[in-house]
Amino acid sequence: MKRFQPQPGFVVQAYRFALDPNASQEAALRSHCGAARAAYNWAVGWVTASWWQRTAEETYGVAEVELTEWRPWSLPSLRKAFNEAKKTDSRFAQWWEENSKEAYSTGLANASAAFDNYAKSKNGKRRGKRMGAPRFKSKRKARLACRFTTGTIRVEADGRHVTLPRLGTIRSHEPTASLLIRVQAGTARILSATVRHERGRWFASFQAEVKRDLKRVTRPDVAVGIDLGVKTLAVMADSTGEIRTVPNPRHYDGALTLLRRASRTVSRRQGPDRRTGRKPSKRWEKANSALGQLQHRVANLRTDALNKLTTAVAAEYGTVVVEDLNVAGMLRNRRLARQIADAGFGEIRRQLDYKTRQRHATHIIVADRWYPSSKTCSGCGAVKAKLPLHVRTYECDVCGLVLDRDDNAALNLAALAAASTTGTGVAGDRDIPQAVSKPRGADRKTRATRPRRKTGRGGQVAQPCRTSGGQKRETVLKPKPSRFGDVMDLPGRNAWNAESR
């Protein structure tokens, strides 16, 4: 086996294989995943104990300098505290030696990341939906997973077995040749491995640093604009004027009859009940397993179709133009949510992003979310004030162009590839700037999100006060209720005193 030498051109890639463990190996896998969950719950309880203690002390009027110190949640601090507690804590003292240290490190690392996300979200340093405080993981609901970063992690030379720390050699359900060939050739190095239980089967995912040579695309000088939709999955128009349509396979709708029947069968069996302690019957477990297999098949079909589509696009065109869709907002439409989720708009963009950069080094352009690709005429550049979704044919009021709205949008997206050099973004004219009309003088026709109320520091909501006559007097900040009392601004993982470090 050749020695691995890091050099430019390496990317981090994952290889996933299904496993066929025997009874003892499956018990060991469940034990390791349970140990990760137990370590996570211990870390959450250990950190939040100081939060509750500080809240209680503040209610008794204890001075700020005399309050209980914050407990740090950085991974080194959690590891140090856990190593001291595992030998005396009754929850770990009897069995912690049965599992690899990587199992406990997995839970502690997950807890550290959860507290980091919560603190950044609370202090306004994290984008996206507001995150809540970490909570304990239920034994019944938690997903079984464990990550290994040190020790013996390899794929065996026979191509049908993998070796993991403390778990030994486990047979794989499928050949591991795709990773084994690269490891033997010295063009890959395994960094870590994660075992996970999904839909009744164990999987092992190997994270490897792989040397990947860039491949030249078929048409490097051609740009393509991709307009995603529900009626047709994608309409692709390139800079030469060629338009291709990719039909929507609708995998979920195709299996909906079988899924409904399987779900009805599960509901008619005797399932588990936490209130009474009732255990599920054998027939319920069998029916629930059949339902999971149907859902697994739909997910696999969708993944296969999206990978084939994105691979073909990334290997053919030198420039790819996609839209910046607000998929989370689109899913709020109860009439189209199921079709949008089944199409996988976000997954298409994610795959195109890394495949164009890492495999072919081509350009990917993301159109602005407010770019009116459907309302703009691809012939003359005129922009319609309104174009309802049910209108599927674009009719230009200026030049009289009649075209399918999806084809028109794809042509406009393809023209954006030349906009950086010509200064326009209109498919019909790339040299003469066009005056784009702005109804009501506004740049944005619609909102991407709902307007939020003004908030102050620490999530305080600004509420106007009114006088007896109903007029606004002034604005005051009303504290938003917190799970931990008045603890609104939490320190970061590094904002600790010398003793805590």
Side-chain angles (χ1 to χ4, degrees):
M1 184 181 297
K2 297 182 180 180
R3 184 178 179 83
F4 180 85
Q5 308 239 350
Q7 50 185 303
F10 281 81
V11 298
V12 177
Q13 184 174 339
Y15 293 84
R16 182 177 177 179
F17 308 104
L19 302 178
D20 281 338
N22 54 35
S24 60
Q25 291 172 342
E26 183 171 2
L29 286 169
R30 291 185 178 273
S31 178
H32 277 70
C33 297
R37 180 187 61 84
Y40 176 90
N41 289 341
W42 176 89
V44 171
W46 185 75
V47 174
T48 55
S50 63
W51 298 4
W52 291 111
Q53 182 64 24
R54 288 177 63 94
T55 303
E57 292 172 353
E58 289 177 351
T59 60
Y60 288 101
V62 180
E64 179 71 21
V65 295
E66 298 178 359
L67 293 177
T68 301
E69 294 183 357
W70 298 94
R71 284 180 175 174
W73 60 70
S74 63
L75 183 56
S77 301
L78 291 179
R79 281 177 176 172
K80 182 179 179 180
F82 179 78
N83 289 334
E84 295 175 355
K86 66 183 180 182
K87 299 179 181 179
T88 57
D89 195 327
S90 59
R91 293 172 293 179
F92 303 97
Q94 301 297 329
W95 54 271
W96 70 269
E97 294 181 344
E98 299 177 3
N99 303 302
S100 171
K101 65 181 180 63
E102 293 295 318
Y104 306 104
S105 181
T106 299
L108 299 178
N110 293 341
S112 177
F115 279 110
D116 270 349
N117 292 334
Y118 171 58
K120 292 177 182 178
S121 178
K122 198 71 173 178
N123 295 331
K125 298 179 181 179
R126 186 180 188 276
R127 298 180 61 185
K129 188 177 180 181
R130 180 174 296 177
M131 305 253 336
R135 296 181 295 181
F136 296 114
K137 290 186 178 181
S138 169
K139 182 178 180 180
R140 183 174 63 93
K141 295 182 179 180
R143 174 170 292 179
L144 300 178
C146 180
R147 186 167 181 258
F148 301 91
T149 57
T150 60
T152 305
I153 305 174
R154 65 170 180 263
V155 289
E156 297 297 336
D158 59 356
R160 293 309 298 265
H161 292 82
V162 299
T163 300
L164 300 173
R166 294 296 296 268
L167 297 174
T169 303
I170 305 175
R171 180 174 175 80
S172 61
H173 185 74
E174 51 193 338
T176 61
S178 57
L179 177 58
L180 178 62
I181 293 176
R182 288 185 172 271
V183 172
Q184 293 178 342
T187 59
R189 179 171 65 96
I190 298 177
L191 303 177
S192 64
T194 302
V195 291
R196 185 185 299 270
H197 187 266
E198 290 182 358
R199 304 181 183 94
R201 181 174 289 279
W202 288 95
F203 294 90
S205 300
F206 293 88
Q207 188 182 40
E209 193 175 18
V210 180
K211 185 179 187 304
R212 181 177 289 277
D213 296 329
L214 298 178
K215 299 180 180 179
R216 182 176 176 84
V217 297
T218 307
R219 304 164 69 185
D221 298 330
V222 180
V224 63
I226 303 178
D227 180 75
L228 302 178
V230 173
K231 183 179 178 181
T232 57
L233 180 60
V235 176
M236 299 185 298
D238 56 33
S239 54
T240 63
E242 180 184 357
I243 300 177
R244 288 188 288 179
T245 301
V246 179
N248 191 353
R250 301 178 185 268
H251 298 295
Y252 187 83
D253 288 348
L256 193 57
T257 301
L258 296 177
L259 288 172
R260 285 173 175 170
R261 185 179 302 170
S263 299
R264 192 185 306 105
T265 303
V266 173
S267 65
R268 290 175 177 175
R269 302 291 187 260
Q270 179 175 308
D273 192 343
R274 294 187 63 188
R275 295 175 300 175
T276 61
R278 183 182 66 188
K279 295 184 179 180
S281 64
K282 295 296 183 182
R283 300 181 70 201
W284 182 91
E285 292 180 348
K286 182 178 179 180
N288 191 51
S289 176
L291 175 61
Q293 291 178 2
L294 285 175
Q295 294 172 339
H296 192 191
R297 181 176 183 273
V298 172
N300 289 341
L301 289 173
R302 182 187 301 112
T303 301
D304 179 70
L306 296 184
N307 270 292
K308 289 180 178 178
L309 170 63
T310 54
T311 300
V313 171
E316 181 176 358
Y317 301 99
T319 304
V320 180
V321 185
V322 294
E323 294 178 292
D324 182 19
L325 298 177
N326 181 20
V327 181
M330 298 168 66
L331 291 177
R332 297 193 185 103
N333 186 339
R334 62 183 180 89
R335 298 180 182 275
L336 298 175
R338 188 178 69 194
Q339 287 77 9
I340 292 173
D342 188 25
F345 293 163
E347 182 65 14
I348 292 176
R349 177 179 168 184
R350 186 192 72 84
Q351 293 184 12
L352 284 175
D353 182 55
Y354 79 83
K355 289 181 180 179
T356 53
R357 289 187 295 102
Q358 298 181 2
R359 299 185 181 181
H360 305 281
T362 55
H363 300 284
I364 180 169
I365 301 175
V366 180
D368 185 75
R369 181 170 296 180
W370 305 102
Y371 175 68
S373 60
S374 298
K375 298 178 182 179
T376 304
C377 176
S378 59
C380 64
V383 181
K384 283 182 174 289
K386 293 183 179 180
L387 187 63
L389 188 60
H390 68 273
V391 179
R392 306 310 304 172
T393 302
Y394 184 89
E395 298 180 2
C396 182
D397 301 329
V398 179
C399 65
L401 176 68
V402 178
L403 189 66
D404 184 84
R405 66 175 292 159
D406 295 336
D407 297 351
N408 178 70
L411 288 171
N412 287 325
L413 291 174
L416 284 180
S420 58
T421 57
T422 62
T424 69
V426 182
D429 190 354
R430 300 180 183 176
D431 298 323
I432 304 176
Q434 297 287 335
V436 181
S437 63
K438 298 180 180 179
R440 300 181 302 280
D443 292 330
R444 300 183 177 183
K445 313 284 189 304
T446 57
R447 292 187 63 91
T449 58
R450 297 179 181 177
R452 294 184 177 180
R453 294 178 293 177
K454 296 181 179 179
T455 58
R457 183 181 178 185
Q460 295 174 333
V461 181
Q463 297 183 352
C465 293
R466 298 181 182 273
T467 61
S468 58
Q471 299 178 352
K472 292 184 179 180
R473 183 178 60 190
E474 60 180 358
T475 300
V476 297
L477 292 177
K478 181 179 179 181
K480 192 173 182 179
S482 174
R483 179 183 174 189
F484 299 104
D486 296 334
V487 182
M488 303 302 294
D489 294 328
L490 299 176
R493 63 185 299 176
N494 297 323
W496 310 106
N497 52 31
E499 183 179 355
S500 298
R501 292 177 187 270

